[in-house]
Amino acid sequence: MDSDHESDDRPPRRPPVPSRDPYVYTLQSSRHATSARVCRDFVACVLNSVGQEELVDTATLCTSELATNAFLHAEGDSVMLRVVIEPPRFRVLVYDASAELPTAACLPEGDRLHGRGLGLVAALADAWGTSEGDAVGIYAKGVWFELAGKEEDEA
């Protein structure tokens, strides 16, 4: 006789053991005026999904700055956003097709409207920098920032 339920003599199922590998989420976006918003919404969604809500405001601001720089100054038709979570570290990389590295992060004097993005990233992030392009060779460089989140056992 077939049954739709499990036998009571089986041991109870154990919850899966969390992986020690980093969580990696990737988004490829057109290099378009909406790219910064799409990228920051993606980062917010990832952080909220993995229990790192306290990082959302800082991470979305920094993501927006990097994605905006890629839109304004880079080459190519698209940008790639990669979110890497290795608790407690959280890293966002924005790849573009321009080999030109960003200028030093210092806040401009006065009321200038441009040139503040990397200064904000440097001031808010625990670390930031550049990396070589992606492994496939579509993108020439990546610009990244890193934030420290809470440990998994603190969640």
Side-chain angles (χ1 to χ4, degrees):
M1 177 163 153
D2 290 328
S3 174
D4 289 337
H5 67 280
E6 291 185 18
S7 168
D8 291 340
D9 59 349
R10 291 186 185 174
R13 290 187 180 177
R14 294 185 180 157
V17 176
S19 172
R20 296 288 180 203
D21 295 331
Y23 299 104
V24 179
Y25 303 88
T26 303
L27 171 75
Q28 189 163 350
S29 172
S30 299
R31 201 173 128 243
H32 188 269
T34 60
S35 298
R37 181 178 184 167
V38 170
C39 289
R40 73 176 174 253
D41 288 351
F42 181 78
V43 167
C45 182
V46 168
L47 285 171
N48 284 318
S49 296
V50 298
Q52 297 287 343
E53 297 86 358
E54 75 283 355
L55 298 178
V56 169
D57 290 341
T58 301
T60 56
L61 176 59
C62 291
T63 299
S64 185
E65 294 300 336
L66 297 187
T68 298
N69 282 351
F71 168 69
L72 292 175
H73 306 295
E75 302 167 358
D77 295 332
S78 66
V79 296
M80 181 173 65
L81 175 78
R82 179 156 290 152
V83 179
V84 180
I85 302 173
E86 293 182 88
R89 292 181 337 172
F90 166 79
R91 180 178 280 198
V92 172
L93 299 98
V94 177
Y95 291 96
D96 63 57
S98 173
E100 186 175 335
L101 296 177
T103 57
C106 57
L107 294 175
E109 297 292 326
D111 295 332
R112 283 189 17 211
L113 296 177
H114 299 286
R116 297 181 183 276
L118 288 176
L120 287 171
V121 172
L124 295 173
D126 295 320
W128 80 276
T130 60
S131 64
E132 293 182 6
D134 67 310
V136 179
I138 296 173
Y139 301 102
K141 73 161 181 310
V143 181
W144 58 267
F145 70 87
E146 190 170 280
L147 300 171
K150 61 186 175 196
E151 294 282 351
E152 284 184 19
D153 57 345
E154 294 176 25

